[in-house]
Amino acid sequence: STGAVKMQPKAEELKFVTKNDGYVHIHPSSVNYQARHFESPYLVYHEKIKTSRVFIRDCSMVSVYPLVLLGGGQVHVQLQKGEFVISLDDGWIRFVAASHQVAELVKELRCELDQLLQDKIKNPSMDLCMCPRGSRIISMIVKLVTTQ
């Protein structure tokens, strides 16, 4: 029996897209340079440099829920072609939700987390784990992120 076997791309063939720079590559000095597969298509990075092409260094894979809950910009929910889409960063990053209810719950959880963090900034001595509202929000986020 013969046939084609799908091969993982070589490290230098992997490329990602950023909003401002288009395609970028993982720098050869990065620990993740040899990684040929990521469970999530999203990476966060610390440094971006341009030599022969644009490279990112100090990168880590990030899954969908942490990106939605902790990523920049506002969260929006829209109905597009019969699917409920959660969007970030003015629509540049988009996810399809399982249902309208899931999309709205994720959006509301993000709003609650943002408000909780604003409260913490205003009152640095506040213990988020001891206040009832804070502990509920944090435990819900932990449960969501660990069971996705």
Side-chain angles (χ1 to χ4, degrees), residues 69 109 135-148:
L69 294 172
L109 185 57
S135 65
R136 282 194 309 266
I137 293 168
I138 291 169
S139 65
M140 180 57 69
I141 290 170
V142 168
K143 186 175 182 179
L144 183 67
V145 170
T146 58
T147 60
Q148 70 173 345

Side-chain angles (χ1 to χ4, degrees), residues 18-106:
T18 66
K19 186 176 181 181
N20 297 325
D21 297 298
Y23 288 109
V24 298
H25 301 267
I26 298 176
H27 195 274
S29 67
S30 175
V31 172
N32 283 327
Y33 180 71
Q34 293 300 323
R36 298 167 85 178
H37 174 75
F38 294 95
E39 294 295 317
S40 171
Y42 303 101
L43 298 179
V44 293
Y45 60 90
H46 175 69
E47 185 177 27
K48 181 172 52 173
I49 58 171
K50 183 174 183 177
T51 55
S52 58
R53 52 188 170 180
V54 180
F55 291 99
I56 56 174
R57 283 201 282 214
D58 304 324
C59 59
S60 296
M61 184 204 71
V62 63
S63 55
V64 173
Y65 285 126
L67 186 60
V68 171
L69 294 172
L70 301 168
Q74 295 292 317
V75 175
H76 299 283
V77 176
Q78 299 170 325
L79 179 61
Q80 295 178 353
K81 298 180 182 176
E83 295 181 313
F84 291 97
V85 176
I86 301 170
S87 64
L88 298 169
D89 200 17
D90 299 325
W92 194 75
I93 300 173
R94 295 177 294 163
F95 310 98
V96 175
S99 69
H100 183 250
Q101 183 180 15
V102 169
E104 290 297 332
L105 287 171
V106 169

Side-chain angles (χ1 to χ4, degrees), residues 82-134:
E83 295 181 313
F84 291 97
V85 176
I86 301 170
S87 64
L88 298 169
D89 200 17
D90 299 325
W92 194 75
I93 300 173
R94 295 177 294 163
F95 310 98
V96 175
S99 69
H100 183 250
Q101 183 180 15
V102 169
E104 290 297 332
L105 287 171
V106 169
K107 180 181 176 181
E108 187 61 31
L109 185 57
R110 168 66 185 267
C111 290
E112 289 291 328
L113 177 60
D114 287 348
Q115 185 58 54
L116 186 64
L117 293 174
Q118 287 295 325
D119 294 346
K120 178 67 174 173
I121 290 168
K122 289 177 187 170
N123 182 7
S125 63
M126 181 173 81
D127 187 344
L128 297 178
C129 294
M130 290 300 172
C131 72
R133 182 173 160 264

